Amino acid sequence: MSSRVALVTGGTGGIGTSICKRLADMGHRVATNYRSEEKARAWQQKMQAEGYDIVVVPGDVGSPEAAQALVKGVEEKLGPVEILVNNAGITRDTTFHRMTPEQWHEVINTNLNSVFNVTRPVIEGMRERKWGRVIQISSINGLKGQYGQANYAAAKAGMHGFTISLARENAKLGITVNTVSPGYVATDMVMAVPEEVRAKIVADIPTGRLGKPEEIAYAVGFLVADEAAWITGSNLDINGGHHMGW
Ligand code: NDP
């Protein structure tokens, strides 16, 4: 297995941390971004204590300039980015009739515009080297919609539209582009949902529990493997059976 350079955005979060570890366990050299230096240093030290050497570089993925600087920073430290996992994301939940322009734009910018901002500076290099893996971390709610999440569902559905177009444009160049759509995973994002709402969600999941971040990371590891070269333009649902489609 080749050792590749991987950039995981939002790597300090619940799912992102597991993705960083999984890719590092596979022998890849992994970097992530941060907005708060203090938080990033604490996270990096925790990773080091667990035996992981993850590079952290500043970068707000909602800004094209900052994303460009992020990619440049990773390339200076590790070399050209060969695996990109667009994982950074936020929620600003409220019903649409109450939603402010700020709540709409913040979610679209962080979850969807970020995908342009970070992928654009890496795609040309992947095309030249004729190898690449780009993975969008979307959401079950981009597929089925969710009360109070018109902004988030629009962004997450948009990510897969991006995936299937980029997959077509780059299929002949050894680059695969895929989406992973997690269901409800026990991270801070989901634990912030009121307990009674969470209990209702769990009652609706056929496996009877929330997902674990490692279960999402496993899928990312699967998709980045050399053997996954013929999987492109796909969406992988990982949701304990919460939403089944075909
Ligand atoms: P967390 O809130 O735990 O982590 C989110 C990460 O994204 C953090 O590292 C955060 O950094 C980073 N981030 C947020 N905004 C920006 C920004 N503008 N620039 C750079 N980094 C940013 O979320 P999860 O781990 O739960 O979610 C990860 C992804 O999975 C998201 O895209 C989410 O939508 C998706 N998802 C999650 C589900 C779940 O059940 N948890 C279900 C389905 C999808 P900082 O600390 O600086 O804020």
Side-chain angles (χ1 to χ4, degrees):
M1 185 177 56
S2 325
S3 171
R4 310 275 188 186
V5 173
L7 169 58
V8 179
T9 68
T12 61
I15 292 175
T17 298
S18 284
I19 296 174
C20 288
K21 287 187 191 176
R22 178 92 203 170
L23 295 179
D25 285 340
M26 291 170 77
H28 301 306
R29 287 159 288 146
V30 185
T32 189
N33 67 295
Y34 65 82
R35 292 184 297 171
S36 146
E37 179 149 9
E38 201 182 330
K39 184 180 165 188
R41 294 290 162 227
W43 179 85
Q44 198 181 31
Q45 277 169 11
K46 189 166 171 282
M47 289 298 102
Q48 274 162 357
E50 292 180 33
Y52 292 96
D53 192 15
I54 314 279
V55 166
V56 295
V57 178
D60 179 336
V61 296
S63 147
E65 295 77 23
Q68 225 161 16
L70 163 65
V71 170
K72 193 160 175 270
V74 174
E75 297 193 338
E76 278 166 8
K77 289 196 161 85
L78 295 178
V81 175
E82 299 165 289
I83 297 169
L84 170 62
V85 185
N86 283 310
N87 164 75
I90 56 164
T91 52
R92 295 289 181 268
D93 295 355
T94 183
T95 47
F96 185 68
H97 56 274
R98 290 176 208 276
M99 195 173 283
T100 63
E102 289 73 27
Q103 287 167 323
W104 174 266
H105 288 298
E106 214 184 327
V107 169
I108 299 291
N109 195 47
T110 304
N111 296 19
L112 184 58
N113 293 344
S114 62
V115 169
F116 171 84
N117 296 339
V118 188
T119 311
R120 185 64 187 81
V122 305
I123 196 70
E124 289 181 62
M126 287 181 179
R127 288 171 64 88
E128 278 159 23
R129 292 185 303 275
K130 298 200 168 30
W131 198 93
R133 295 284 185 267
V134 181
I135 297 173
Q136 276 57 253
I137 306 298
S138 177
S139 166
I140 183 175
N141 292 342
L143 295 165
K144 71 174 191 58
Q146 182 57 284
Y147 190 95
Q149 288 199 324
N151 49 2
Y152 184 79
K156 292 299 189 182
M159 288 173 93
H160 191 57
F162 171 78
T163 288
I164 54 184
S165 300
L166 201 70
R168 283 183 190 278
E169 289 181 10
N170 294 284
K172 290 212 171 74
L173 295 169
I175 301 167
T176 70
V177 189
N178 292 288
T179 300
V180 169
S181 295
Y184 288 82
V185 179
T187 67
D188 291 348
M189 188 182 269
V190 164
M191 297 325 253
V193 173
E195 201 176 335
E196 61 281 10
V197 178
R198 228 170 41 234
K200 278 193 196 144
I201 292 170
V202 172
D204 230 22
I205 303 176
T207 51
R209 65 169 175 87
L210 297 173
K212 300 175 194 162
E214 305 81 53
E215 290 170 322
I216 308 307
Y218 177 75
V220 173
F222 167 75
L223 289 170
V224 304
D226 282 332
E227 293 84 346
W230 214 48
I231 306 175
T232 195
S234 71
N235 171 54
L236 185 46
D237 293 323
I238 309 173
N239 57 38
H242 198 179
H243 179 71
M244 302 186 202
W246 64 282

